[in-house]
């Protein structure tokens, strides 16, 4: 019984040592957490600085986000996908091999459960796939090029509107922590901020350009009484530039035919063709203008039946002008047709509603000048 107090005293003597070790370990853990939190805050601040400096350079923003996410979340790779119509297209990768980059560029992702990015896109939520190789729904071939295992995919959302998906992954089965997932979601939010900033600044700039162009054309009209040539030239130049077209023609309606009243940046062979009047019934898109259409928009001229059946104007604009997409709006005074404003792209790329409205505005100005 005498030994019992001695044993108790011995155990009591050991307690402070254990407590000191525990406190030291706890302090070290707190220091690590603090250092990580400070690093995350610094990375967030750096990204916001990049966003503020790169108003039209989203690629730099995405590259900064991907690099920071890979480093702070202890991942091997970082990928950024943007929405392009109905698919997700790869735009930026950090620490990605040339072979995998080539695979991603050649194989855009359709939203669905067979890919991590597609799953995040269609479900509008963060997807944390612990092991791709043991996921029966996963079938994207990327893992055969770069054998990733644990993947984190975060959608870039504003409300329910999807802008893209941010992905990081590891080559081993090792889950991402809650703090790493939260950091990735913060980066995705920052990407949306950058996208929205770019859109707003671009729209503001375009609005100012349109207002400036309108004022310039009105000034030309005022300074050129009785001389339509400089007015038409100014309108075509500005309409072509602001609508991102390659060249343009202002057609004047003369009874049963159209004559080119002005041309801008028209390829030489098609310009020679435009020197001769075009009969209405052979005028391709001009037929629609003559019968009263508010505008004619053809996404791919070479794919139309008129081109395949040999319509003279349609074949000339495709074969001689290299045009693929067309937008034409009428010049009308009340019910009287005066002509048509037509612009062309040498690629298959539809014009936006804003660009259609802008060309209609230029057409209205042309009518004012003619009157």
């Amino acid at each position: 019984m005498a030994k019992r107090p001695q044993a108790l005293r011995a155990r009591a003597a050991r307690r402070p040592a254990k407590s000191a070790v525990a406190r030291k370990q706890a302090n070290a853990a707190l220091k690590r957490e603090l250092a990580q939190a400070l690093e995350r805050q610094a990375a967030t601040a750096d990204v916001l600085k990049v966003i503020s400096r790169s108003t039209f350079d989203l690629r730099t923003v995405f590259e900064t986000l991907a690099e920071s996410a890979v480093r702070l979340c202890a991942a091997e790779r970082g990928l950024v996908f943007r929405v392009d119509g109905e698919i997700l297209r790869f735009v930026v990768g950090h620490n990605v091999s040339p072979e995998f980059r080539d695979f991603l560029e050649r194989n855009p992702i359709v939203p669905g459960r067979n890919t991590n990015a597609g799953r995040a896109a269609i479900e509008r939520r963060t997807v944390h796939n612990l092991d791709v190789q043991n996921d029966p729904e996963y079938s994207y071939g990327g893992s055969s090029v770069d054998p990733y295992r644990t993947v984190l995919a975060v959608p870039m959302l504003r409300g329910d509107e999807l802008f893209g998906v941010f992905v990081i992954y590891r080559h081993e089965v090792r889950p991402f922590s809650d703090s790493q997932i939260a950091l990735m979601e913060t980066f995705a939010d920052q990407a949306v901020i950058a996208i929205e900033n770019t859109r707003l600044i671009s729209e503001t700039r375009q609005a100012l350009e349109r207002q400036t162009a309108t004022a310039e054309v009105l000034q030309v009209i005022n300074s050129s009484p009785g001389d339509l040539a400089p007015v038409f030239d100014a309108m075509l130049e500005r309409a072509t530039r602001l609508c991102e077209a390659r060249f343009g023609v202002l057609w004047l309606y003369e009874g049963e035919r159209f004559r080119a009243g002005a041309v801008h940046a028209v390829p030489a062979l098609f310009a020679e063709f435009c020197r001769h009047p075009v009969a209405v019934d052979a005028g391709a898109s001009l037929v629609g203008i003559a019968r009263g259409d508010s505008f004619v928009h053809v996404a791919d001229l070479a794919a139309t039946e008129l081109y395949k059946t040999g319509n003279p104007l349609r074949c000339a604009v495709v074969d001689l002008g290299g045009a693929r997409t067309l937008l034409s709006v009428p010049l009308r005074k009340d019910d009287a047709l005066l002509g048509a404003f037509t612009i062309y792209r040498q690629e298959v790329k539809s014009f936006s509603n804003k660009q259609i409205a802008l060309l209609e505005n230029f057409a209205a100005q042309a009518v004012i000048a003619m009157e």
Side-chain angles (χ1 to χ4, degrees):
M1 295 294 293
K3 293 182 179 180
R4 185 177 180 85
Q6 293 178 354
L8 291 173
R9 284 196 295 272
R11 283 199 297 272
R14 288 195 297 270
R15 282 195 199 106
K18 287 185 178 180
S19 179
V21 171
R23 284 198 300 271
K24 188 175 181 179
Q25 291 174 340
N27 287 337
L30 286 172
K31 287 180 180 179
R32 284 196 302 272
E33 290 179 6
L34 178 60
Q36 291 171 356
L38 290 173
E39 191 176 15
R40 287 195 293 269
Q41 288 180 347
T44 300
D46 289 342
V47 170
L48 291 174
K49 288 178 184 177
V50 171
I51 290 174
S52 67
R53 293 195 302 264
S54 307
T55 51
F56 293 106
D57 186 9
L58 282 175
R59 185 173 187 86
T60 298
V61 175
F62 291 151
E63 287 173 346
T64 303
L65 286 168
E67 185 277 330
S68 299
V70 167
R71 173 168 49 85
L72 296 175
C73 296
E76 268 88 32
R77 309 279 190 267
L79 312 173
V80 178
F81 296 87
R82 286 294 308 276
V83 172
D84 183 9
E86 299 298 320
I87 62 174
L88 294 170
R89 197 175 296 279
F90 170 75
V91 291
V92 163
H94 177 70
N95 203 27
V96 176
S97 69
E99 295 78 14
F100 192 39
R101 185 181 299 273
D102 179 65
F103 176 87
L104 293 168
E105 290 173 348
R106 289 187 293 103
N107 295 274
I109 292 174
V110 177
R113 293 194 56 79
N114 66 314
T115 64
N116 296 297
R119 200 174 297 177
I122 200 168
E123 296 182 2
R124 299 293 201 273
R125 65 174 183 86
T126 297
V127 171
H128 189 190
N129 194 334
L130 298 181
D131 189 359
V132 166
Q133 294 185 16
N134 288 319
D135 182 349
E137 293 183 288
Y138 189 84
S139 62
Y140 189 61
S143 59
S144 62
V145 181
D146 191 16
Y148 43 82
R149 299 295 294 272
T150 297
V151 179
L152 183 63
V154 181
M156 302 176 196
L157 296 170
R158 185 191 63 180
D160 196 50
E161 183 180 3
L162 179 71
F163 292 98
V165 179
F166 200 179
V167 177
I168 57 174
Y169 60 83
R170 292 169 173 158
H171 289 130
E172 60 180 332
V173 178
R174 181 160 59 94
F176 290 97
S177 68
D178 291 342
S179 62
Q180 289 168 339
I181 294 172
L183 180 62
M184 274 289 288
E185 292 173 341
T186 297
F187 282 152
D189 290 340
Q190 290 176 330
V192 172
I193 291 171
I195 293 167
E196 282 292 279
N197 284 350
T198 300
R199 181 185 64 80
L200 290 172
I201 293 171
S202 178
E203 287 182 354
T204 301
R205 184 182 66 176
Q206 290 170 3
L208 289 172
E209 288 178 344
R210 288 194 294 269
Q211 290 177 351
T212 301
T214 299
E216 289 171 349
V217 169
L218 291 174
Q219 186 175 7
V220 173
I221 292 174
N222 291 331
S223 61
S224 305
D227 186 4
L228 287 175
V231 176
F232 290 160
D233 290 341
M235 287 180 179
L236 277 174
E237 185 278 326
R238 287 158 178 78
T240 300
R241 172 168 51 84
L242 295 178
C243 293
E244 300 176 327
R246 177 64 183 83
F247 60 92
V249 179
L250 190 148
W251 300 96
L252 297 176
Y253 181 62
E254 299 177 340
E256 295 301 316
R257 64 180 190 172
F258 284 92
R259 175 177 62 83
V263 297
H264 175 72
V266 173
L269 292 177
F270 185 55
E272 180 63 27
F273 175 88
C274 290
R275 292 179 59 186
H276 307 284
V278 177
V280 170
D281 58 1
S285 58
L286 296 176
V287 174
I289 296 297
R291 72 186 178 205
D293 291 352
S294 58
F295 67 89
V296 176
H297 187 195
V298 183
D300 188 356
L301 295 165
T304 62
E305 192 64 26
L306 284 173
Y307 177 73
K308 294 175 183 178
T309 56
N311 176 274
L313 180 56
R314 184 60 50 86
C315 290
V317 73
V318 173
D319 297 336
L320 304 180
R324 295 300 298 273
T325 298
L326 167 149
L327 175 62
S328 185
V329 300
L331 310 180
R332 284 197 176 92
K333 174 62 176 175
D334 299 325
D335 292 330
L337 178 63
L338 304 179
F341 221 140
T342 307
I343 55 176
Y344 308 85
R345 284 176 172 160
Q346 291 181 321
E347 58 182 329
V348 178
K349 183 182 178 183
S350 298
F351 290 95
S352 69
N353 291 334
K354 290 182 180 179
Q355 290 167 337
I356 295 172
L358 179 60
L359 193 61
E360 290 174 334
N361 182 54
F362 279 120
Q365 290 179 337
V367 172
I368 291 171
M370 295 167 74
E371 285 297 297

